């Protein structure tokens, strides 16, 4: 089975062709980062328009790079939600139209299920069941995963997502949008021990997160500090360490509570090196295993959508013609396959 995957939920147009025997055949990505940078965040209307401009050329390129013609495609998977409605409508209109024209089934994929299954694209893929820490720009959640579509959300952010906290703190440090990766780079030049940020909601039981307080703490710290690069790097280090430690404490708790020893970390923030390194140490300490997507598949991409869509198509899922793009879509309402 060979699937075309389409991701357009936010500011990245991601297209991929995935084959269940040969694996990932092609993967194209166009990031709109430069378009939105002047505004300090994603402008939904500009995002939709740019998806319209880029989607067809990227699909053509993905088919050529995969050495595939539309005749070889057995289904089209697109991100149906959650995300920006205008952006989602571009991918769903194009995906459904192509499926109709090519006379193959279409399937709508949940963006976070895409992230959650992204480590399955790797050679060393995790087996079910596992705990998944999903940390992106829009979501932070801990999920108990028993199989595809069998998701129990154990905890989530009550305010900002982890990536959002990175981006907002980066902005306070004078870094460009999206600041998460830039803050992580700045933190590499920082030293431990200069600043101590809180580890929010770790002193109470439970698996929910809260990151908006860290951003306020960062704002106050920056206001009281000098303007040197060294100081900024030390603040970036302390902020990153606080987010990572908080995520580690909650993962440890979720593993203990469920008695599981496999952990999957996915979503944009899973590209963070400090998070990856510290999670690896934690899991070797707990005699468990940790799984990540390759760096290119941590942030938004079409490959994860093609993979997740293939699992659902194989299970016989067919998109209901009345089914619409879903800007909001709770992960635990998905059907099990
Ligand atoms: O999954 P993703 O591409 O988009 C959403 O679904 O939201 O995640 C993007 C988020 C952004 O907030 C970005 O700053 C963050 O992931 N991010 C990082 C790193 N790389 C991306 N945050 C911290 N460290 C990184 N290396
Ligand atoms: Zn995402």
């Amino acid at each position: 089975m060979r699937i075309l995957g389409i991701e357009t939920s936010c500011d990245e147009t991601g297209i991929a062709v995935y084959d269940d025997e040969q694996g990932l055949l092609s993967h194209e990505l166009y990031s709109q980062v430069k378009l939105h940078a002047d505004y300090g965040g994603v402008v939904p209307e500009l995002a939709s328009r740019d998806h319209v401009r880029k989607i067809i050329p990227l699909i053509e390129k993905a088919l050529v790079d995969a050495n595939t013609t539309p005749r070889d495609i057995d289904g089209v998977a697109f991100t149906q939600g959650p995300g920006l409605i205008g952006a989602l409508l571009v991918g769903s209109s194009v995906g459904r139209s192509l499926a109709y024209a090519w006379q193959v089934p279409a399937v709508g994929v949940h963006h976070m299920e895409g992230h959650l299954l992204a480590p399955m694209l790797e050679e060393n893929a995790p087996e079910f069941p596992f705990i998944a820490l999903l940390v992106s720009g829009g979501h932070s959640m801990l999920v108990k995963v028993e199989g595809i579509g069998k998701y129990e959300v154990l905890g989530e952010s009550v305010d900002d997502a982890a990536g959002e906290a990175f981006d907002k703190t980066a902005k306070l440090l004078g870094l460009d949008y999206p600041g998460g990766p830039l803050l992580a780079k700045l933190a590499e030049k920082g030293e431990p021990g200069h600043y101590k940020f809180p580890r929010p909601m770790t002193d109470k039981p439970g698996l929910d997160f809260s990151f908006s307080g860290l951003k306020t703490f960062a704002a106050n710290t920056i206001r009281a500090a000098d303007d040197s690069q060294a100081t900024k790097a030390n603040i970036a280090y302390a902020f990153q360490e606080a987010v990572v430690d908080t995520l580690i404490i909650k993962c440890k708790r979720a593993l203990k509570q469920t008695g599981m020893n496999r952990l999957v970390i996915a979503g944009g923030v899973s590209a963070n090196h400090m998070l990856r390194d510290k999670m690896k140490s934690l899991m070797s300490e707990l005699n468990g295993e940790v799984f990540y997507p390759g760096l290119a598949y941590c942030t938004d991409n079409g490959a994860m959508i093609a993979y997740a869509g293939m699992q659902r198509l194989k299970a016989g899922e067919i998109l209901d013609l009345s089914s619409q793009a879903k800007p909001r879509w709770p992960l635990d309402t998905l059907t099990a396959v």
Side-chain angles (χ1 to χ4, degrees), residues 49-62:
R49 291 183 196 190
D50 219 35
H51 285 305
V52 171
R53 273 191 286 271
K54 296 295 173 350
I55 191 165
I56 299 292
L58 282 180
I59 291 173
E60 283 174 337
K61 186 159 188 307

Side-chain angles (χ1 to χ4, degrees), residues 7 9 28 43 96 116 122 126 175 192 195 219 223 243 257 285 291 302:
E7 155 61 34
S9 67
E28 311 296 331
V43 183
R96 294 172 80 143
L116 195 156
E122 303 301 311
L175 302 170
Y195 295 94
R223 206 173 300 123
V243 175
Q257 186 177 308
E285 194 185 295
F291 300 86

